[in-house]
Amino acid sequence: MFVLSSFLNTYNATIKQALLAVCVSMSYFCIGLVRGYSAPAIPSIKEIDSDLLPTKDIASWASSIPPAGAFVGSLVAGPLMHFIGRKYTILTAAPIWVLSWIVIANATYWPVFLAGRVLSGFCVGLTLPSAQIYVTECTDPKIRGIIGSFPSISMSGGILTSYILGSFLSWYNLAWTSCGVAVSLTLIMITMPRSPVWLRSKNLNEEAEKSSRWLGLESIPKMDKTLPENGGRSFPQKHAPNENHHSSKTLMSRPILMPLAIGLTLLAIQQLSGIDSIIFFTVEIFRSSGSSIDGHLATILVGTVQLVSNITSLLFVDKSGRKPLLIASGLIMCVSNAAMGVAFYLNAQGNESFGYLPLVSLIVFMVGFSIGFGCIPFLLMGEIFPAAQRSLLSSIAGSMNLGIMFLVIKTYHPLEEVITTAGTFWMYSLLCILGVGFVIGYVPETKGRDMDNIAKLFLKGNGKKFVNTNGADAGYNSNRKSEDICTGQVEITRL
């Protein structure tokens, strides 16, 4: 009877955690709508309202400017996550999203259209770090890899939805549809519980335990009031106020800088693979590559492959581990980018007998991106960043990611003119293989580890564990309070 009761409780907890992840992931669906909007909308504007975006340069800004707004939004997200929590940061973004789509749908002059796109990007910046951290903090470690991938899957679903709807809706009707999704996000998020980790950090222990019980979590990670000293060992402080968590000494310590450096580099590789150049200019890429396939149809096929691949990755992320998937992802993207470069090179030479090569290359690229770099960097961001500094570090990482996204999108056309389109994709290919080298050398495996255990990976003298791909440390006792974890990492508190 006890075994049956335990099974039912575990099953019920999984359902509740998955439900929360699905609801919160609607915010990533909204991000996908922003990212996928320009691919069908810009051609639609040129056909219906060509005066709205009168020049190629203005049209380029319409595609590339949301990440600039997102860069600012991500900087704002850090303080908001710290002071009002993960849930209310997303709730702050939702009505602003509604406003941004209303501005876009009613735009008659390009400055107004660009303002709406900047505003929608600002909401992306607010949501990108907060939603992933929210899901990670509300999920049991045993299923964190699977459920923690829901946001990225939802983003792919948003991109594909924008591609499909954009194939038959005008640019302004597509904006109105996206506005409706943002309204739904507002209503759904109101019903969600707050993160028990954030509540505990604010000493709202009763609410934290209530939230944790609703989610079926066995423990709540909480802030450990210790400071890293003497080679990574920490000592209790008689008066360890929360401000110590953000002192310059703490922020410049190895347990903070190491995970931050890894997170920043992975997010940089994600963007430098060329993913957003492909997403934002998919229709244009197919039309200019000499492919015989309709641009809108090819775009939908590529978006479908990305979504299916993201869903498929759920089967492997908690079995194969994070590191092997990142390596496989980087290698596949390297090969597919090189093949895309070959397609453009052959087309430039007048050889049009490889009409399916661009489609095959981008499909393979999306498969590679989706199984690793599409979702794992965000998942790792919630796993390896110390709990006390997670809001700040995620804000920094998200801002850098979005800043590089802006540069990659904005430099796509200039790079075409300087090194040709073929050269641009070959450059992306080279950056992907460099990323594989970084993953092999510096990224730790976090599969199956709870956050207390992950914290130990970044202490001085534990560097040997970085190459350990086994999911858990031998002999680790999850009921034992760690005596040597770094500032802001977690200890396990049984309810």
Side-chain angles (χ1 to χ4, degrees):
M1 189 70 181
F2 173 78
V3 174
L4 178 61
S5 176
S6 177
F7 172 79
L8 291 175
N9 288 336
T10 301
Y11 184 75
N12 188 45
T14 301
I15 293 296
K16 288 183 176 181
Q17 292 170 33
L19 176 63
L20 178 137
V22 169
C23 293
V24 174
S25 294
M26 182 173 281
S27 61
Y28 265 57
F29 188 88
C30 290
I31 294 176
L33 293 176
V34 175
R35 294 178 70 183
Y37 179 76
S38 63
I42 300 304
S44 174
I45 290 173
K46 290 179 179 178
E47 294 172 5
I48 301 173
D49 299 289
S50 57
D51 291 338
L52 179 59
L53 302 175
T55 68
K56 185 177 180 179
D57 185 57
I58 292 175
S60 174
W61 277 104
S63 296
S64 62
I65 205 167
F71 176 82
V72 178
S74 189
L75 291 176
V76 175
L80 283 181
M81 281 192 288
H82 179 72
F83 289 110
I84 67 175
R86 289 63 160 132
K87 171 184 174 177
Y88 287 107
T89 300
I90 299 172
L91 269 174
T92 299
I96 303 176
W97 243 325
V98 173
L99 176 62
S100 72
W101 286 117
I102 292 174
V103 171
I104 291 171
N106 289 283
T108 55
Y109 300 100
W110 65 264
V112 177
F113 186 86
L114 294 187
R117 291 286 281 165
V118 169
L119 200 58
S120 68
F122 177 80
C123 297
V124 170
L126 285 181
T127 305
L128 196 65
S130 53
Q132 185 68 64
I133 290 173
Y134 189 8
V135 170
T136 301
E137 291 180 345
C138 294
T139 307
D140 188 274
K142 296 184 183 69
I143 56 174
R144 191 172 60 226
I146 294 176
I147 292 184
S149 298
F150 282 13
S152 294
I153 292 173
S154 189
M155 186 191 298
S156 298
I159 293 170
L160 177 59
T161 299
S162 191
Y163 286 170
I164 294 173
L165 294 178
S167 66
F168 60 86
L169 289 180
S170 63
W171 63 272
Y172 47 86
N173 283 329
L174 181 57
W176 281 118
T177 303
S178 301
C179 180
V181 176
V183 171
S184 300
L185 172 65
T186 306
L187 299 176
I188 288 174
M189 283 303 302
I190 292 173
T191 66
M192 292 294 102
R194 287 187 285 181
S195 162
V197 176
W198 180 82
L199 290 169
R200 175 62 61 84
S201 74
K202 297 299 180 183
N203 293 321
L204 300 172
N205 296 328
E206 184 176 341
E207 290 187 49
E209 293 183 6
K210 181 179 178 181
S211 176
S212 185
R213 282 196 298 270
W214 187 91
L215 291 166
L217 294 174
E218 294 182 1
S219 60
I220 305 176
K222 71 177 184 179
M223 308 302 180
D224 183 37
K225 297 177 180 180
T226 58
L227 290 174
E229 296 178 8
N230 294 347
R233 292 183 299 167
S234 56
F235 300 91
Q237 305 297 309
K238 292 182 179 179
H239 304 285
N242 288 334
E243 56 264 25
N244 281 338
H245 294 159
H246 295 87
S247 67
S248 58
K249 182 178 180 180
T250 298
L251 294 177
M252 296 305 294
S253 64
R254 175 189 171 90
I256 306 298
L257 293 180
M258 284 294 291
L260 177 61
I262 291 171
L264 290 176
T265 305
L266 287 177
L267 291 173
I269 296 167
Q270 181 193 73
Q271 291 303 321
L272 294 173
S273 69
I275 177 62
D276 279 289
S277 292
I278 293 170
I279 290 175
F280 279 71
F281 302 113
T282 311
V283 175
E284 179 184 330
I285 286 172
F286 275 98
R287 288 179 177 176
S288 61
S289 66
S291 175
S292 57
I293 304 169
D294 177 74
H296 284 290
L297 175 60
T299 297
I300 292 172
L301 288 174
V302 169
T304 302
V305 168
Q306 183 182 13
L307 177 59
V308 172
S309 299
N310 265 325
I311 295 173
T312 304
S313 70
L314 292 179
L315 303 175
F316 303 101
V317 69
D318 273 333
K319 293 182 179 180
S320 302
R322 284 58 157 155
K323 190 166 182 173
L325 288 178
L326 284 172
I327 293 171
S329 175
L331 291 174
I332 294 172
M333 289 193 297
C334 173
V335 172
S336 55
N337 269 326
M340 194 67 193
V342 170
F344 274 101
Y345 177 78
L346 292 175
N347 184 60
Q349 299 300 312
N351 190 335
E352 299 181 357
S353 59
F354 296 88
Y356 285 91
L357 184 57
L359 177 61
V360 173
S361 299
L362 288 193
I363 285 177
V364 173
F365 176 90
M366 284 300 180
V367 170
F369 179 79
S370 300
I371 65 172
F373 276 95
C375 58
I376 292 178
F378 295 115
L379 175 61
L380 284 174
M381 196 165 66
E383 289 182 325
I384 68 175
F385 286 175
Q389 295 84 15
R390 193 171 292 148
S391 297
L392 173 63
L393 300 186
S394 298
S395 176
I396 293 171
S399 297
M400 187 220 63
N401 178 256
L402 294 161
I404 295 178
M405 181 193 296
F406 171 74
L407 292 176
V408 169
I409 297 168
K410 196 69 185 72
T411 57
Y412 176 73
H413 288 120
L415 283 172
E416 280 187 312
E417 297 178 2
V418 176
I419 61 175
T420 74
T421 307
T424 301
F425 280 94
W426 287 334
M427 182 191 73
Y428 293 153
S429 178
L430 175 61
L431 292 170
C432 287
I433 198 64
L434 292 175
V436 170
F438 174 81
V439 172
I440 293 173
Y442 296 99
V443 177
E445 180 58 73
T446 61
K447 182 188 75 171
R449 302 179 189 268
D450 63 26
M451 294 183 182
D452 183 24
N453 206 8
I454 292 171
K456 299 175 184 178
L457 295 174
F458 302 104
L459 297 177
K460 189 174 181 180
N462 282 355
K464 60 182 181 295
K465 296 185 179 180
F466 272 49
V467 295
N468 178 14
T469 57
N470 189 13
D473 286 340
Y476 175 68
N477 180 359
S478 62
N479 292 309
R480 177 174 59 83
K481 178 180 176 181
S482 172
E483 296 178 355
D484 59 353
I485 58 178
C486 65
T487 300
Q489 293 291 354
V490 295
E491 62 182 0
I492 302 302
T493 304
R494 296 292 170 189
L495 295 177

